[in-house]
Amino acid sequence: MKRIIGTFIFGALFSSQVFAGYAVVVHPENTSEIDYQLVKRIFLGKETAFSNGEVATVLTHSPDSALRVEFDEAVLQRRTAAVDADWSKLVFTGRGTMPKTVSSDQEMIELILQNKNAIGFIDTSSVNSDVKVVKID
């Protein structure tokens, strides 16, 4: 019985790491202090700048992307439709600009390389030396 419980606990802990398949990324020259709370506030449109005062450019994946759904639920703790609705309200009231939607991790990386103030997320398998990974745990 102990072995079954131990196996279940180990499997649950291991699988939670496997499902965390996204990495928040910024330009390698971004020296801002970025933590989980700032990432969450930026991606929800509640914060517009990094800790160094530079205005953040938010990049996201399309709403039908499994990676986007995972990110929204795990990091933002919201459903993707609710996140999009919140952004629509911010845009409508003039208090925000809708995040740019990308169709692939490669496009995300290219846009981050072009803009030192861009922030986005990619699949962990797409991480390379072109971007800086933000630790948010």
Side-chain angles (χ1 to χ4, degrees):
M1 183 65 161
K2 287 181 184 177
R3 182 177 292 190
I4 292 171
I5 293 171
T7 303
F8 176 76
I9 291 171
F10 175 78
L13 291 173
F14 181 72
S15 66
S16 69
Q17 295 299 316
V18 171
F19 288 120
Y22 54 83
V24 176
V25 291
V26 294
H27 193 280
E29 294 178 17
N30 186 325
T31 58
S32 296
E33 291 185 27
I34 305 170
D35 62 9
Y36 168 75
Q37 286 302 322
L38 182 60
V39 167
K40 185 175 178 179
R41 290 184 61 75
I42 286 174
F43 276 92
L44 289 174
K46 295 179 179 182
E47 187 75 46
T48 59
F50 292 111
S51 62
N52 64 4
E54 295 290 330
V55 175
T57 301
V58 182
L59 306 174
T60 191
H61 287 269
S62 63
D64 60 345
S65 160
L67 186 64
R68 164 84 185 273
V69 171
E70 180 182 357
F71 178 82
D72 288 350
E73 290 179 359
V75 176
L76 306 183
Q77 299 170 336
R78 309 281 311 265
R79 294 195 178 272
T80 299
V83 173
D84 285 347
D86 289 346
W87 274 104
S88 293
K89 290 176 196 171
L90 288 171
V91 171
F92 181 75
T93 60
R95 295 182 293 147
T97 303
M98 192 68 85
K100 175 154 179 59
T101 302
V102 301
S103 59
S104 69
D105 287 346
Q106 186 57 41
E107 183 181 3
M108 179 81 69
I109 291 169
E110 289 171 11
L111 290 172
I112 287 173
L113 285 173
Q114 295 170 17
N115 183 343
K116 292 181 184 175
N117 296 318
I119 184 169
F121 57 93
I122 58 176
D123 190 285
T124 54
S125 66
S126 298
V127 171
N128 61 35
S129 61
D130 290 338
V131 292
K132 179 171 140 182
V133 175
V134 176
K135 291 192 89 54
I136 59 169
D137 39 355

